Amino acid sequence: MDHVLINEGQVKIRIPPFEKVSSRAPVFYNPVMELNRDLSVLAIQQFKSEIEKGLSICDAFGGSGIRGIRYAKEVSGVEGVVINDVNPRAVALARDNSLKNGLNNITVCQKDANLILRLCKGKFNVVDIDPFGTPSPFIDSAAVNLPRNSMLAVTATDTSALCGTYPEPCIRKYGSKPLKTEYCHENGLRILAGFLSLSFARYKKFLTFKFSHSTEHYLRIYATISKGAKKTDKSLNNMGYIAYCPRCLNRQVFYGMAPLVDARCPRCEHSLRVAGPLWCGDIQDSDFISGMIEKSEKLVLNRRKDAMKLLKLCKAESKAPPTFYEIHTICSKLKISAPPLMELLDLLKAAGYMASPTHFTPTGIKTSAPLELVEELIEELVERRNINAEA
C-alpha cells in the first residue's frame, strides 16, 4: 500500500491514505490535531523545566505514532517514550516511523490503554490520553499509577456531551450535568477538570491545572499531580455548581459538593438552570503558559501563529472568574447592536475590574465586573457611537 508522507515539527512520518478522519481509518491520524500536538510539545517541555529528573512518557493512544515521536525528538530530557495502540497496523507503522526518524528511546506496544497504564505502575511521569471520543474509561488507570510530580494530559472529543447538546451521556460518563449556554465550552472544560480531580482524589492525589483550552472539536487539559490526603481534601473545595438564568443571563457560582443552590435568579426571579458538579477553581496557570510561550522560540511549530494567539489569550484570562459574557448575546437581549469589544474592555479596566478577551470565542469577554455594569457600559458605548454618527 502506498503511504502519504507527513512533515510535522521536526519529524517525518508515513501514514496510509484515508478519505476522512474516522476511528475506522486503517491507522488513526488527525491532521486537525497538529495544533494540539504543537501545544503538547510546548507544555511537556515546560513541565520538564520545572522538575529535576528526566521524562518517561506514555502515549496511550499512539495511532501513527506522530505524537510520541514528536515527544521523543523535540522535547529535551526525554529518557523514554512508550507508544501504545491496540491496532496491530498502527503498532507496526509507529515502530517503522520511529526507526525512520532515527529514534532509539521509543518502545511501541500493542495493549489496551488501561492495561498498559496498570501494568507500568510508577514507570511514567507523563501520561497522554488522547482517545477517539471520551477519555473517561481510562482516567482511573492513570490516577492509580501516576506518582507525585508527574503530568497528565487529556483530550476529550465528545464535546456534544460535555457542552450540553446531549446531557445524558455527560451524566453517565462524567457524573455531571452540563448546560447548553453561551459559555458551554468552558462548562465542558470545567466538567472534565472536575471529573479528573474526583478520580485522582480517590487515591489521595490532587491536580493543579496548568493549561486548558477548547479548540475546534475537542477539549484539552494539562495538569500536574501532587499527593496528600489533607491537601487533596482542600483542593476539592474548588468543586461546585454554576447556576444560569436564561432570561437575564445572570450566573452564580456555588462552591461545594452539596451546596444550597437558589431556585430563582436573584436578579429577575426566573428559574435557574444548574450545571455540575464541576471545577470552579483555576484552569490556567499564567507562569506555566508564559514558560510555554518563551520555549516556543526554540522549537519548530507548524502552527506557531495559532499556538501563540491561543496561549496569549489563555494567559490573559488566567485569573478570571468562571464563565464569560458573550457580547452579541447580551446585545440581542438589550435589542442593540454590539460595540467594539476592545472599547468595552478598556472601560471595564478603567472602572477597576479585571477584563480580557477569551480564547473560547472572539466575541466573548472574561471579567470580574457584575453583569449589570457590563450591560450599562455596552449601552453607554452604543449611545456614544450613535451620537457621534448623528454629529
Side-chain angles (χ1 to χ4, degrees):
M1 177 187 292
D2 292 334
H3 286 74
V4 178
L5 181 64
I6 302 293
N7 292 280
E8 188 176 302
Q10 298 178 27
V11 307
K12 296 179 180 180
I13 67 162
R14 294 185 181 275
I15 61 169
F18 60 92
E19 294 182 3
K20 65 178 181 177
V21 176
S22 166
S23 59
R24 296 181 180 179
V27 174
F28 187 72
Y29 169 79
N30 191 346
V32 175
M33 299 296 270
E34 185 177 54
L35 174 62
N36 181 315
R37 292 185 288 269
D38 278 354
L39 292 166
S40 297
V41 169
L42 287 174
I44 293 176
Q45 186 64 73
Q46 174 58 25
F47 172 65
K48 173 62 182 74
S49 73
E50 296 181 359
I51 62 174
E52 296 180 353
K53 54 185 176 181
L55 297 180
S56 178
I57 303 173
C58 177
D59 179 10
F61 294 86
S64 65
I66 181 66
R67 187 183 296 271
I69 292 170
R70 288 194 64 182
Y71 289 161
K73 183 85 169 181
E74 299 175 29
V75 179
S76 62
V78 173
E79 296 176 352
V81 176
V82 171
I83 299 175
N84 178 72
D85 204 286
V86 74
N87 179 354
R89 291 186 65 181
V91 169
L93 190 62
R95 186 175 288 120
D96 185 59
N97 282 328
S98 299
L99 293 173
K100 281 184 166 57
N101 280 277
L103 298 169
N104 56 13
N105 59 344
I106 292 179
T107 303
V108 183
C109 298
Q110 183 189 343
K111 295 185 184 298
D112 176 88
N114 277 316
L115 187 58
I116 191 74
L117 293 173
R118 295 277 178 175
L119 288 175
C120 299
K121 184 175 182 179
K123 178 178 179 180
F124 306 120
N125 56 10
V126 176
V127 166
D128 196 313
I129 297 176
D130 187 1
F132 194 90
T134 178
S136 64
F138 313 102
I139 298 305
D140 192 71
S141 296
V144 71
N145 282 334
L146 268 172
R148 71 177 76 222
N149 299 323
S150 57
M151 170 168 273
L152 175 70
V154 176
T155 302
T157 59
D158 56 334
T159 53
S160 60
L162 283 162
C163 300
T165 302
Y166 301 107
E168 290 80 7
C170 186
I171 295 169
R172 169 168 34 88
K173 291 184 284 188
Y174 299 99
S176 180
K177 180 185 176 185
L179 275 184
K180 191 69 175 175
T181 67
E182 59 268 29
Y183 56 87
C184 63
H185 285 82
E186 181 174 347
N187 265 359
L189 262 181
R190 292 185 177 278
I191 287 172
L192 179 58
F195 173 76
L196 297 176
S197 294
L198 291 172
S199 298
F200 275 77
R202 288 197 291 272
Y203 305 101
K204 301 177 184 177
K205 298 175 184 177
F206 64 96
L207 302 181
T208 302
F209 296 101
K210 295 296 191 177
F211 172 47
S212 308
H213 64 102
S214 169
T215 303
E216 296 178 349
H217 67 288
Y218 67 91
L219 308 176
R220 179 77 164 166
I221 288 179
Y222 302 84
T224 53
I225 291 91
S226 303
K227 198 168 183 180
K230 288 185 178 180
K231 290 184 177 180
T232 298
D233 293 341
K234 184 178 180 180
S235 77
L236 293 181
N237 291 335
N238 288 296
M239 294 296 297
Y241 297 79
I242 300 177
Y244 172 75
C245 178
R247 176 189 286 171
C248 74
L249 311 180
N250 187 39
R251 64 287 306 264
Q252 291 177 268
V253 178
F254 295 88
Y255 287 89
M257 289 299 293
L260 184 62
V261 178
D262 297 337
R264 298 279 175 181
C265 174
R267 190 179 184 215
C268 72
E269 292 296 316
H270 193 274
S271 296
L272 290 173
R273 300 164 62 199
V274 181
L278 44 70
W279 184 261
C280 298
D282 292 336
I283 56 174
Q284 312 287 8
D285 183 314
S286 178
D287 291 339
F288 187 88
I289 295 172
S290 293
M292 290 176 65
I293 294 171
E294 180 181 338
K295 286 170 179 56
S296 70
E297 298 175 1
K298 298 180 180 180
L299 292 171
V300 177
L301 304 174
N302 290 31
R303 300 282 299 276
R304 177 178 299 277
K305 182 177 179 181
D306 294 330
M308 291 305 99
K309 180 180 178 181
L310 176 62
L311 287 171
K312 288 173 183 177
L313 284 170
C314 289
K315 179 183 176 182
E317 64 185 60
S318 61
K319 294 303 180 182
T323 82
F324 60 87
Y325 296 113
E326 207 284 319
I327 301 307
H328 287 184
T329 303
I330 294 176
C331 291
S332 177
K333 181 177 75 73
L334 297 174
K335 295 181 171 54
I336 58 177
S337 58
L341 185 139
M342 296 309 297
E343 291 183 17
L344 176 60
L345 292 175
D346 289 341
L347 287 182
L348 287 166
K349 292 175 184 176
Y353 293 95
M354 176 271 166
S356 78
T358 175
H359 84 277
F360 291 103
T361 173
T363 57
I365 64 167
K366 276 188 160 287
T367 181
S368 57
L371 176 58
E372 292 84 355
L373 178 61
V374 175
E375 291 178 339
E376 178 184 323
L377 294 179
I378 287 174
E379 290 177 320
E380 178 183 322
L381 283 171
V382 171
E383 182 178 356
R384 186 188 304 170
R385 184 177 59 187
N386 291 338
I387 292 173
N388 292 337
E390 293 173 0

